[in-house]
Amino acid sequence: MGSKLGKKVHVHTPAYKKEDAEEIAAHCSHIVLNSPHQLELFSHVATGKNEFALRLNPEVSIVEESVYNPCAPYSRFGLTKEMLSAVDGRFFDKISGFHIHALCGSSSKDFNNLISAVLDKFSDYLPSVSWINLGGGQALLEDDFDFADFAENLDILHSKYHLKTYIEPCEYLVMDAGFLLTTVLDVVHNGKDIAILDSSISCHALDVLKNYYQLPVIYPQAGEKGYSYLLAGNSCLSGDVFGEYSFSAPLKPGDKIVFGDMGSYSFAQMNYFNGINYPDICFYSEKNGFQQIKSFDYMNYEALYD
């Protein structure tokens, strides 16, 4: 899909399938390998447009949650300094870049620590490549993110090592973007008032379910109000609950509830669990109002298994 945009396409994965190598080489300009062995898969299909990189592990655990820490103990991601020192020197003749990812929701200070670790562990290898990809996870939209400090550390890689430098702050390019418009189908009471929606946390916001946080409610205004509800999804999963929210007026069937911050992982991880349909995709502007871009039906679901 990325190649259809006519841009350079970077791809990285812990391991590639042999049968995918030709297609990947045809569509991707920058191919990141997780180990030297993976280069063998591309040796017969690579073209002049393909550049290969090696993923490195700087062994700096900036991210506290181990499930999101690419440098956690026993990580499958990349080569440590010790592992890299054992690689045959002839391998580097075929490598033009390095890929390093160790951040998740991280500050400019964390980014600086990452750069320091890279220079400390891999500076001897940097002159042998022309580019480096430092991954994503930079919390660019946080109020305390120091862009001057951030730029200064990037400049070290440019000025001293003459490296073309890439970063991938993908989540923070769409942070707070995207809305999920839901409808209350029923309200039941079992110790608490429970509003059942025509949506599903396990289908439409799986990352929220996995990460134990709540989506913001954009409409109606929620907060410390007089009427509290558990907003629940419509699947068979007992834990399919958006969370507890309070409103200034009682909810009733037909009411609309709009969740925010749906533009990144929530959108990407949608699924058809229980056969629950995808939401329609719409654009909205003050000039044109709502414009439905795409809708889904049973045939989309059936096509997955046909």
Side-chain angles (χ1 to χ4, degrees), residues 15 34 54 57 68 72 74 82-83 108 115 154 162 164 175 177 221 226-227 230 237 245 248 259 262 269 271 288-289:
N34 200 54
L54 186 65
N57 180 350
Y68 298 117
Y74 316 113
E82 181 180 359
M83 296 163 66
S108 53
I115 296 292
L154 282 178
H162 309 291
K164 186 173 185 178
M175 184 64 70
Q221 187 179 31
Y227 300 90
L230 287 176
L237 181 68
Y245 299 82
S248 58
F259 295 98
M262 289 288 298
Q269 295 185 29
N271 61 85
N288 298 317

Side-chain angles (χ1 to χ4, degrees), residues 57 69-77:
N57 180 350
N69 180 11
C71 298
Y74 316 113
S75 173
R76 68 190 185 279
F77 296 121

Side-chain angles (χ1 to χ4, degrees), residues 216-227 245-249 251 256-258:
V217 167
I218 307 301
Y219 176 86
Q221 187 179 31
E224 296 298 324
K225 310 292 183 179
Y227 300 90
Y245 299 82
S246 296
F247 304 94
S248 58
L251 295 179
K256 304 297 183 183
I257 295 177
V258 181

Side-chain angles (χ1 to χ4, degrees), residues 111 115 134 149-158 165 167:
F111 183 78
I115 296 292
L134 295 169
D149 207 20
F150 178 71
E152 182 178 345
N153 281 275
L154 282 178
D155 191 56
I156 294 174
L157 299 173
H158 286 287
T165 306
I167 61 171

Side-chain angles (χ1 to χ4, degrees), residues 283-291:
F283 288 162
Y284 174 82
S285 69
E286 292 185 0
K287 178 181 179 181
N288 298 317
F290 277 101
Q291 295 177 286

Side-chain angles (χ1 to χ4, degrees), residues 11 25 27 45 49 93 135 141 161 166 226 230 250 283 292-293 298:
V11 61
H27 292 288
V45 298
K49 80 167 190 176
D93 294 338
L141 296 184
Y161 296 98
Y166 299 91
L230 287 176
F283 288 162
Q292 183 171 302
I293 305 302
Y298 169 76

